[in-house]
């Protein structure tokens, strides 16, 4: 019985599996058929799309071919226009060569014109304000008479030198009063190089002769020459050189010895020219003041000077101070008091009480003026001082221009105008303008 049941169950199971396999095969056939239909549909769509693309491409190709055929004439015209433009460009290049030549000639002419303009501007600056407001119309003054007397000298003298960064000018001009009275010029100036204990030193000398001394012109000239002799005779009178760090007593002693030698030379002039004159006072006949300025040469950031002398003369400095908008101003550096200004050579006190001296330092751009009392008093007039400041600051004047400036017809006390101007340019390279000064 059990065996029968198991056989029935086994038969039922086999039948069930057979039915399931039949169903699966039927479903597989349906799916394969559906897939075939879908692939067929896709293939048909792809072929249809290819046909459409082919038709569109053929239509576009036909349109392009027609467009090219229509634009053939335009292309030829464009090529012709290009050839014409190239021909015009070649012609322009040829004309440009001629234009460059003409342009070079124009530039050369323009450079020459600009150089002439600069030259004219420089001349205009020289003539700018030919006389200060206090002057008369005619400048410079012209003597109307020659002087009378045996101690006469030239109406005006001028000297100068360009010593690298140091530019110096000297002039002595007969005063208006002496011209009107037919009297001679009594002052003298001197520029020389002297031994500075190993290196040359510039000596600038101004000797204002006494206005009431008949032989003061000869005395002033002799004093300048004797000063050069005293400072150039063998060994230097200064123990450490004129700009050394020696004490004031040694400098005073050396300068006193120099001026004593000068006084002896001036006194000899008086003795030679007053021989046989009754009641003639030798010293009164040849009275003269004398001031010297020793200056370092070469390139210096701070240049040393030593000014010394006896009698009436002044030392002024022209400098554009900071905070004054660059306007140069005259500053007195050495002004003897009234008592010493009235005591002249050859009456030099043995104790050296008449001697006045001072060390001075200048910097690039400064101008030193060592002048007679008459010239210094002229610069006390504000308008005149400003005029000379504009004329001389930062300049290197020609000798004729400098003499003309000194000889300007300006109303003053009428005394001789004698002075030495020294321009300190610091370094020669800065003066030439080809390179900067070392400290810049």
């Amino acid at each position: 019985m059990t065996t029968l049941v198991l056989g029935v169950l086994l038969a039922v199971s086999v039948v069930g599996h057979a039915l399931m396999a039949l169903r699966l095969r039927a479903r597989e056939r349906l799916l394969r058929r559906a897939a075939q239909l879908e692939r067929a549909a896709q293939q048909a769509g792809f072929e249809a799309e290819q046909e459409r693309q082919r038709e569109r491409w053929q239509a576009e190709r036909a349109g392009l071919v027609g467009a090219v055929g229509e634009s053939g004439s335009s292309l030829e015209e464009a090529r012709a226009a290009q050839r014409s433009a190239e021909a015009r460009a070649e012609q322009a290049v040829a004309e440009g060569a001629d234009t460059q030549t003409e342009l070079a000639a124009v530039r050369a002419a323009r450079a020459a014109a600009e150089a002439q303009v600069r030259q004219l501007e420089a001349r205009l600056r020289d003539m700018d304000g030919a006389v200060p407001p206090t002057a008369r119309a005619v400048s410079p003054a012209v003597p109307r008479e020659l002087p009378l007397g045996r101690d006469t000298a030239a109406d005006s003298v001028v000297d100068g030198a360009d010593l690298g960064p140091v530019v110096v000018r000297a002039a002595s001009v007969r005063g208006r009063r002496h011209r009107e009275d037919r009297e001679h010029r009594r002052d003298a100036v001197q520029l020389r190089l002297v031994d500075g204990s190993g290196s040359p030193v510039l000596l600038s000398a101004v000797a204002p002769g006494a206005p009431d001394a008949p032989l003061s012109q000869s005395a002033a000239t002799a004093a300048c020459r004797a000063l050069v002799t005293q400072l150039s005779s063998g060994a230097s009178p200064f123990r450490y050189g004129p700009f050394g760090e020696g004490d004031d007593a040694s400098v005073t002693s050396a300068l006193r010895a120099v001026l004593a030698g000068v006084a002896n030379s001036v006194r000899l002039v008086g003795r030679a020219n007053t021989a046989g004159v009754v009641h003639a006072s030798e010293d009164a006949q040849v009275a003269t003041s004398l001031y010297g300025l020793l200056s370092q040469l070469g390139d210096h950031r701070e240049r040393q000077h030593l000014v010394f002398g006896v009698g009436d003369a002044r030392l002024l400095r022209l400098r554009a101070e900071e905070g004054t908008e660059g306007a140069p101003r005259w500053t007195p550096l050495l002004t003897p008091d009234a008592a010493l200004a009235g005591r002249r050579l050859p009456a030099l006190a043995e104790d050296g009480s008449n001697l006045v001296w001072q060390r001075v330092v200048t910097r690039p751009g400064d101008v030193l003026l060592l002048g007679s009392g008459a010239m210094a008093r002229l610069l006390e007039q504000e308008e005149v001082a400003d005029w000379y400041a504009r004329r001389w600051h930062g300049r290197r004047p020609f000798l004729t221009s400098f003499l003309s400036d000194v000889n300007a017809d300006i109303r003053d006390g009428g005394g001789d105008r004698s002075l030495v101007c020294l321009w300190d340019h610091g370094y020669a390279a800065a003066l030439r303008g080809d390179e900067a000064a070392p400290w810049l």
Side-chain angles (χ1 to χ4, degrees), residues 108-129:
R110 179 179 179 183
E114 289 178 351
Q116 186 176 6
V117 168
R118 287 193 296 270
Q119 183 178 5
L120 291 175
E121 288 177 348
R123 293 179 62 183
L124 286 175
R125 285 195 299 270
D126 290 339
M127 297 303 296
D128 180 28

Side-chain angles (χ1 to χ4, degrees), residues 152-335:
T152 59
D155 179 88
S156 304
V157 294
V158 63
D159 197 5
D162 292 356
L163 306 173
V166 176
V167 175
V168 63
R169 301 287 185 264
S172 181
V173 176
R174 184 163 54 138
R176 175 181 52 82
R177 184 180 65 250
H178 292 164
R179 286 171 174 167
E180 293 174 352
D181 296 341
R182 302 180 67 182
E183 296 182 1
H184 60 274
R185 175 175 54 87
R186 288 174 167 79
D187 294 354
V189 292
Q190 186 87 50
L191 296 177
R192 287 292 184 274
L193 294 179
V194 298
D195 183 15
S197 297
S199 60
V201 173
L202 173 63
L203 169 64
S204 308
V206 175
D212 54 351
L215 301 176
S216 58
Q217 211 292 322
S218 295
T221 302
C224 289
R225 293 176 177 174
L227 181 59
V228 174
T229 301
Q230 291 294 321
L231 292 175
S232 303
S233 57
S236 171
F238 301 97
R239 182 181 304 175
Y240 303 102
F243 314 112
E245 298 298 330
D247 59 284
D248 292 353
S250 63
V251 175
T252 300
S253 177
L255 293 176
R256 187 191 308 170
V258 168
L259 290 181
V262 174
N264 290 333
S265 298
V266 173
R267 188 173 283 115
L268 290 176
V269 172
R271 291 175 181 176
N273 287 276
T274 58
V277 180
V278 181
H279 304 301
S281 172
E282 297 173 358
D283 288 356
Q285 295 285 315
V286 292
T288 181
S289 300
L290 176 65
Y291 273 80
L293 177 67
L294 293 172
S295 304
Q296 280 182 319
L297 297 178
D299 294 340
H300 293 281
R301 183 176 182 177
E302 291 186 347
R303 193 175 307 279
Q304 305 292 325
H305 308 267
L306 180 67
V307 58
F308 61 93
V310 59
D312 185 19
R314 317 289 171 83
L315 180 68
L316 298 91
R317 181 189 64 205
L318 180 62
R319 173 182 290 178
E321 296 288 355
E322 297 180 0
T324 59
E325 298 181 355
R329 291 290 182 269
W330 295 101
T331 303
L333 299 181
L334 180 68
T335 304

Side-chain angles (χ1 to χ4, degrees), residues 57-136:
W57 176 79
Q58 290 177 351
E60 290 178 356
R61 183 174 179 275
L64 289 175
V65 170
V68 169
E70 293 175 357
S71 61
S73 59
S74 300
L75 181 59
E76 290 299 328
E77 293 176 357
R79 288 176 179 173
Q82 182 179 2
R83 287 192 295 269
S84 177
E86 290 176 353
R88 289 196 301 271
E90 292 177 356
Q91 183 180 0
V93 169
E95 293 176 353
D98 296 337
T99 303
Q100 290 295 331
T101 304
E102 295 177 359
L103 182 60
V106 170
R107 287 175 176 172
R110 179 179 179 183
E114 289 178 351
Q116 186 176 6
V117 168
R118 287 193 296 270
Q119 183 178 5
L120 291 175
E121 288 177 348
R123 293 179 62 183
L124 286 175
R125 285 195 299 270
D126 290 339
M127 297 303 296
D128 180 28
V131 292
T134 56
R136 292 186 299 179

